[in-house]
Amino acid sequence: YSKDITNEESTDLKIDLLIKWIEGNPIKEGVGWEQYPTSLRIVNWIKWLNENSIDNDFIDESLAIQTRYLIKKIEFHLSANHLLANAKALIFSGLYFNNPESEKWLKRGIGLLSLELKHQILNDGAHYERSPMYHSIIMEDILDIVQISRLQPNRIKDNLLDDLEETFRKMFKWLMWMTHPDNSIAYFNDSSPNIAPSLSELEEYARILAVDC
């Protein structure tokens, strides 16, 4: 956007972009409705709406529709980082909304997350796909869930949040061994640069949230 655009005008433009996506992507049609991009979109929209205190019924209705679609299409067939992304999206929608239906989303997301982290994170802190890129993305997911839980206190139990922070610490130690001195990740298994947050970025995010590394 042009530097001459005000913050208010920029926000209006971004709202228009979200609305155009909704209007241009009918329910269940096109690759945008695949489970993984749907999961990422739900999370990113909610992050932006929360950060900017946006209240838009049309966008909220779409988010609810996307979440209803996702909960019926959870990627058990792929598992791994896709399944964790699904769980994160359900947790975000579950916390963003506050009604009986969203409580079901939250409960399902928490159940999936708890089960899959126990299954996917190994004793040495590595994610079982052994990809530093996926590993870093999942670490960011954990911190995102910790952060959004603080916007809706008491809706996620403290013991789960404690478990998430402990899991993050284990994963951080493993990522230290898989990070070069220049702060880039080792190209081990499915890994590419500039996709996932770096070790230093994760450390800074954790510091802001007062999560020990």
Side-chain angles (χ1 to χ4, degrees):
Y1 296 124
S2 168
K3 292 181 180 179
D4 296 329
I5 294 177
T6 65
N7 287 338
E8 184 177 352
E9 290 170 331
S10 175
T11 297
D12 290 341
L13 284 170
K14 291 167 185 173
I15 290 172
D16 286 343
L17 284 174
L18 267 61
I19 290 173
K20 285 179 180 177
W21 187 92
I22 295 167
E23 293 175 340
N25 291 271
I27 300 171
K28 302 179 184 181
E29 293 186 16
V31 295
W33 283 89
E34 291 290 326
Q35 299 96 312
Y36 188 69
T38 295
S39 296
L40 300 185
R41 184 172 57 252
I42 288 170
V43 167
N44 288 328
W45 284 18
I46 289 174
K47 281 184 179 181
W48 185 76
L49 292 167
N50 278 335
E51 182 180 357
N52 293 278
S53 301
I54 304 295
D55 186 8
N56 186 293
D57 290 342
F58 187 68
I59 295 173
D60 285 353
E61 181 182 5
S62 176
L63 277 169
I65 290 169
Q66 293 176 55
T67 308
R68 292 184 190 117
Y69 176 77
L70 176 64
I71 200 169
K72 296 178 181 177
K73 298 282 186 178
I74 295 172
E75 295 175 279
F76 292 109
H77 61 297
L78 292 177
S79 187
N81 64 93
H82 279 239
L83 194 50
L84 289 173
N86 299 162
K88 179 184 178 182
L90 292 176
I91 290 170
F92 262 63
S93 279
L95 291 173
Y96 179 72
F97 296 98
N98 192 0
N99 56 55
E101 183 179 25
S102 70
E103 286 299 321
K104 293 179 182 178
W105 301 338
L106 180 59
K107 183 178 180 180
R108 187 68 182 280
I110 287 173
L112 276 174
L113 180 72
S114 300
L115 182 64
E116 289 303 315
L117 285 179
K118 290 177 182 176
H119 175 57
Q120 295 190 31
I121 307 305
L122 306 177
N123 290 335
D124 64 354
H127 180 248
Y128 71 177
E129 291 182 274
R130 279 86 165 182
S131 157
M133 182 178 72
Y134 294 152
H135 185 100
S136 300
I137 290 170
I138 293 164
M139 289 175 68
E140 183 179 36
D141 290 341
I142 290 173
L143 293 180
D144 281 348
I145 292 167
V146 170
Q147 183 178 27
I148 194 173
S149 73
R150 295 178 182 176
L151 300 177
Q152 296 288 337
N154 304 317
R155 294 186 65 195
I156 294 182
K157 293 180 179 179
D158 288 342
N159 62 335
L160 174 57
L161 295 174
D162 290 342
D163 288 345
L164 290 179
E165 293 189 22
E166 178 58 30
T167 299
F168 177 85
R169 283 189 285 272
K170 288 173 58 178
M171 296 182 75
F172 188 88
K173 290 177 181 177
W174 186 86
L175 187 61
M176 288 177 63
W177 289 104
M178 301 300 291
T179 298
H180 294 299
D182 66 356
N183 201 42
S184 65
I185 56 173
Y187 295 160
F188 190 65
N189 289 327
D190 187 2
S191 292
S192 297
N194 305 317
I195 301 295
S198 67
L199 181 71
S200 62
E201 288 170 330
L202 289 166
E203 186 175 21
E204 175 62 13
Y205 190 5
R207 185 194 65 78
I208 292 170
L209 295 178
V211 173
D212 293 332
C213 293

